[in-house]
Amino acid sequence: MNTLAALPVAPTSPHVINTYGRVPIALSHGQGCRVWDVNGKEYLDALAGIAVNTLGHNHPRFVPALQEQIAKLIHTSNYYHVPGQELLAARLAELSSMNKAFFCNSGLEANEAVLKLARKYGHDKGISNPQIVVYERAFHGRSIATLSATGNTKLQKGFEPMVPGFIRVPLNDIEALKRATEGNPDVVAVFFETIQGEGGINAMRNEYLRAVRALCTERDWLLCIDEVQSGMGRTGKWFAHQWAGIVPDVMALAKGLASGIPIGAIVTGPKASEVLQPGNHGSTFGGNPLAMRAGIETLRIMEEDGLMENATKMGDYLMGRLRAELGTHPGVKEVRGQGLMIGMELNKPCGVLIARAAEAGLLISVTADSVIRLLPPLIITQAEIDELLARLLPLVRVFLAEQA
């Protein structure tokens, strides 16, 4: 008997540039809300590839549609019309009450396009030094421009100097926004996440969103919203800002839009739809037939299966159970979020819980050092949430007891 053949495989990636502190597991396949590693161990997926796998894994209607599309056409370039782009753009316009879309490959690219569009909007108005209002604790990506818009000096360190042209303000303080922009004729846009994901699941209040919308309209600024993580039904509406009853001028999308196929998009309203003209911006892979089919099928299945309603119902249940079990624990500062975008902030850094949860068969993340972040697929069931809690709660209780 060859005993070596039975030893578990220890994953390693010596030829991959080490930009991640990876959990020491390698995943091989998935089904629904579960994934398995190369050694056959099963995990409940409460992260969904960071809010990407909207439909979970190996969805029985999504996968055959992509297989059909791959056999027909994967990529053509944007030198030609792509019928799927028009179908998906029209659908996104309808769902957002906006009117046009541009497609790229990621949230970073979408946010980069937002920044370029906002600057061009300013230049078209004769503003040679356009400035964009951004927020403390924001995360918009890791390119130089989106990193400059990001409100995290730890991520920026080593990559200075940052791109100029940003004015940073705190969340949910309309007077601070007014003071920071008072008498400044170069302001062209306000740019924020409705719910900050990487920043720690920090939500903009609805009354604040409405006040910023009114201020942008009054001062002819673009209201630009990053819905990369909070959009696509995750909070129980198509886009999280819709809870406030507002419509932005520009919106960035990615992550859950195509359930795992790389995609990014900006959606624009009338004030912004004609700013970018031929030659101003582009993408080689963006909007390819495969990604467009993935986006179209994701939206179709979400509607057919009532996944936004499920996000609301399961999110309320998960949040309620977390608050009931740990909400009054002295080591828990707050349980917050909306729908299936939930954070539980502890009173000390808790990154160690990622590996402990994986050991217990649960995939989670920790963001902003001390916030346990839960972003399960929108197909998750109540029984799976009960299982999630059965694996997570003992770990958190033990971890908090270690502090005492």
Side-chain angles (χ1 to χ4, degrees), residues 133-135 167-185 187 189-190 207-219 221:
V133 176
V134 292
Y135 284 76
I167 300 168
R168 198 168 304 282
V169 299
L171 280 73
N172 293 317
D173 187 340
I174 193 66
E175 294 306 318
L177 172 56
K178 290 178 179 177
R179 284 194 301 272
T181 56
E182 185 66 35
N184 186 340
V187 177
V190 178
E207 61 270 25
Y208 179 77
L209 292 171
R210 288 189 283 268
V212 176
R213 172 66 277 181
L215 191 66
C216 286
T217 301
E218 173 193 317
R219 301 190 181 182
W221 301 339

Side-chain angles (χ1 to χ4, degrees), residues 217-232:
T217 301
E218 173 193 317
R219 301 190 181 182
D220 201 26
W221 301 339
L222 293 178
L223 176 61
C224 305
I225 300 185
D226 176 346
E227 289 273 8
V228 167
Q229 193 166 139
S230 57
M232 300 317 304

Side-chain angles (χ1 to χ4, degrees), residues 248-307:
D249 299 304
V250 187
M251 171 173 66
L253 299 173
K255 290 192 183 294
L257 175 56
S259 298
I261 298 297
I263 192 172
I266 61 169
V267 187
T268 55
K271 191 191 288 189
S273 289
E274 305 305 323
V275 172
L276 296 177
Q277 292 293 314
N280 289 151
H281 198 54
S283 171
T284 297
F285 292 102
N288 70 59
L290 178 62
M292 296 301 95
R293 182 69 181 274
I296 292 165
E297 296 297 333
T298 296
L299 295 177
R300 181 177 64 82
I301 294 169
M302 285 179 67
E303 286 190 308
E304 288 176 356
D305 292 359
L307 294 188

Side-chain angles (χ1 to χ4, degrees), residues 46 73 83 145 148 161 218 241 247 303 307 322 333:
L73 198 61
S148 301
E218 173 193 317
H241 66 263
V247 178
E303 286 190 308
L307 294 188
L322 285 170
K333 296 175 74 172

Side-chain angles (χ1 to χ4, degrees), residues 98-380:
M98 300 168 81
N99 62 3
K100 291 193 177 184
F102 167 85
F103 295 103
C104 47
N105 306 290
S106 68
L108 179 156
E109 289 181 47
N111 286 334
E112 187 84 16
V114 169
L115 298 176
K116 285 184 67 178
L117 188 153
R119 283 188 166 205
K120 177 85 169 30
Y121 174 77
H123 279 280
D124 289 349
K125 293 170 64 178
I127 298 172
S128 59
N129 184 32
Q131 297 181 33
I132 301 168
V133 176
V134 292
Y135 284 76
E136 296 173 357
R137 293 183 285 177
F139 180 85
H140 297 295
R142 295 174 186 269
S143 67
I144 287 296
T146 57
L147 187 62
S148 301
T150 289
N152 186 331
T153 55
K154 189 168 71 174
L155 297 181
Q156 294 170 341
K157 187 173 177 54
F159 302 103
E160 303 90 345
M162 293 291 107
V163 173
F166 295 104
I167 300 168
R168 198 168 304 282
V169 299
L171 280 73
N172 293 317
D173 187 340
I174 193 66
E175 294 306 318
L177 172 56
K178 290 178 179 177
R179 284 194 301 272
T181 56
E182 185 66 35
N184 186 340
D186 293 334
V187 177
V188 296
V190 178
F191 184 35
F192 58 79
E193 303 150 273
T194 313
I195 302 175
Q196 294 179 338
E198 301 301 316
I201 315 295
N202 308 306
M204 298 285 190
R205 290 194 292 269
N206 287 344
E207 61 270 25
Y208 179 77
L209 292 171
R210 288 189 283 268
V212 176
R213 172 66 277 181
L215 191 66
C216 286
T217 301
E218 173 193 317
R219 301 190 181 182
D220 201 26
W221 301 339
L222 293 178
L223 176 61
C224 305
I225 300 185
D226 176 346
E227 289 273 8
V228 167
Q229 193 166 139
S230 57
M232 300 317 304
R234 181 146 293 277
T235 69
K237 286 191 180 289
W238 286 110
F239 315 109
H241 66 263
Q242 290 178 325
W243 289 104
I246 64 168
V247 178
D249 299 304
V250 187
M251 171 173 66
L253 299 173
K255 290 192 183 294
L257 175 56
S259 298
I261 298 297
I263 192 172
I266 61 169
V267 187
T268 55
K271 191 191 288 189
S273 289
E274 305 305 323
V275 172
L276 296 177
Q277 292 293 314
N280 289 151
H281 198 54
S283 171
T284 297
F285 292 102
N288 70 59
L290 178 62
M292 296 301 95
R293 182 69 181 274
I296 292 165
E297 296 297 333
T298 296
L299 295 177
R300 181 177 64 82
I301 294 169
M302 285 179 67
E303 286 190 308
E304 288 176 356
D305 292 359
L307 294 188
M308 284 188 295
E309 293 80 1
N310 194 60
T312 298
K313 185 178 178 182
M314 293 300 104
D316 288 348
Y317 178 70
L318 177 53
M319 190 104 71
R321 286 284 314 276
L322 285 170
R323 285 174 172 160
E325 297 282 351
L326 290 172
T328 59
H329 192 292
V332 177
K333 296 175 74 172
E334 188 178 22
V335 178
R336 56 180 179 259
Q338 189 159 17
L340 289 171
M341 185 174 184
I342 295 174
M344 180 163 59
E345 183 173 4
L346 307 186
N347 65 357
K348 65 173 180 174
C350 58
V352 67
L353 285 174
I354 296 173
R356 293 185 186 181
E359 181 64 27
L362 177 65
L363 301 185
I364 62 169
S365 84
V366 168
T367 190
D369 294 331
S370 58
V371 180
I372 299 169
R373 180 171 49 167
L374 302 174
L375 303 163
L378 302 192
I379 61 170
I380 196 166

